[in-house]
């Protein structure tokens, strides 16, 4: 049966931390990228890295059912909306490769890998990462704040700039 495979889905909610807590109490697998922010007072607190966004793993029908329940009157879930394809009404799953990349890039700082940049590739070149934690990902060389990065797009949700990857780990893809 199509859609019966568990996949990751991007979900929008005004209260993502509360939604994640409630869903995890129900035994659902979730992920919310968290960052540490220093307030003006000097205290440090954790907050979602991407406001109003979290990820839910489940079967397509199960995820749509949770979304419908969250917008009902008799529920402990805050309202939530699952990202959909731009055409049609079907929820948009995220491939395992895209989700692994997203988790790598939103991991706590001490778990992120350190890589380097190189001027060998031109802006617009299509590139593939050959080795390392980002192996297999493809994207385009783009300038971001004067530095070159590889940008990988998660269709319809976001684009991710990979951090400074050593040139020995990159290969140009001829189109």
């Amino acid at each position: 049966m199509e859609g019966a495979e568990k996949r990751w889905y991007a979900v929008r909610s005004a209260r993502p931390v509360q939604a994640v807590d409630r869903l995890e109490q129900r035994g659902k697998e979730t992920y919310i990228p968290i960052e540490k922010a220093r307030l003006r007072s000097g205290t440090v607190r954790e907050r979602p890295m991407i406001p109003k966004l979290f990820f839910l793993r489940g079967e397509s029908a199960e995820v749509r059912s949770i979304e419908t329940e969250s917008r009902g009157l008799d529920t402990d879930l805050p309202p939530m909306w699952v990202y959909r394809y731009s055409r049609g009404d079907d929820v948009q799953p995220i491939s395992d490769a895209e989700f692994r990349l997203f988790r790598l890039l939103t991991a706590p700082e001490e778990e992120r890998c350190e890589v380097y940049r190189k001027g060998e590739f031109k802006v617009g070149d299509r590139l593939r990462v050959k080795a390392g934690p980002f192996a297999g990902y493809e994207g385009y060389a783009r300038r971001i704040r004067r530095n070159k990065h590889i940008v990988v797009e998660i269709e319809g949700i976001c684009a991710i700039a990979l951090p400074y990857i050593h040139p020995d780990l990159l290969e140009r893809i001829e189109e």
Side-chain angles (χ1 to χ4, degrees), residues 154-166:
I154 297 178
E155 185 183 335
I157 296 170
C158 64
I160 299 170
L162 299 180
Y164 315 109
I165 295 179
H166 193 280

Side-chain angles (χ1 to χ4, degrees), residues 5-25:
E5 179 184 349
K6 284 194 172 194
R7 305 283 299 273
W8 284 101
Y9 295 88
V11 183
R12 186 173 58 92
S13 175
R15 299 189 310 264
V17 174
Q18 181 185 7
V20 164
D21 287 344
R22 300 275 164 75
L23 289 167
E24 286 180 349
Q25 288 172 5

Side-chain angles (χ1 to χ4, degrees), residues 127-139:
L127 304 173
R128 177 182 301 118
V129 182
K130 298 188 296 187
F134 302 110
Y137 293 107
E138 296 180 5

Side-chain angles (χ1 to χ4, degrees), residues 22-150:
R22 300 275 164 75
L23 289 167
E24 286 180 349
Q25 288 172 5
R26 295 178 178 196
K28 305 299 179 199
E29 188 176 357
T30 64
Y31 176 71
I32 184 168
I34 298 291
E35 67 181 349
K36 292 182 180 178
R38 184 172 302 281
L39 304 176
R40 287 184 186 171
S41 65
T43 60
V44 176
R45 66 166 246 208
E46 292 184 341
R47 68 177 183 200
M49 198 176 282
I50 304 170
K52 301 181 181 181
L53 181 77
F54 71 94
F55 297 88
L56 173 62
R57 184 171 175 81
E59 297 173 2
S60 176
E62 173 188 26
V63 169
R64 285 194 310 268
S65 174
I66 290 170
E67 176 189 50
T68 301
E69 177 193 344
S70 77
R71 292 193 255 153
L73 297 175
D74 189 27
T75 184
D76 64 337
L77 295 172
M80 57 185 83
W81 293 263
V82 179
Y83 279 75
R84 287 175 160 61
Y85 288 106
S86 57
R87 294 192 172 125
D89 192 42
D90 199 18
V91 292
Q92 179 181 347
I94 299 170
S95 75
D96 289 339
E98 289 173 328
F99 192 73
R100 279 193 310 274
L101 173 63
F102 188 79
R103 284 190 85 144
L104 276 172
L105 295 172
T106 59
E109 282 187 45
E110 60 274 5
E111 295 175 24
R112 292 183 199 159
C113 68
E114 185 173 333
V115 288
Y116 308 91
R117 64 185 167 95
K118 167 101 176 192
E120 182 179 309
F121 302 106
K122 299 185 309 279
V123 171
D125 283 352
R126 182 142 175 80
L127 304 173
R128 177 182 301 118
V129 182
K130 298 188 296 187
F134 302 110
Y137 293 107
E138 296 180 5
Y140 290 92
R142 295 282 184 255
R143 280 205 184 276
I144 300 174
R145 292 189 211 113
R146 297 185 183 165
N147 293 320
K148 290 181 186 171
H149 291 270
I150 297 176

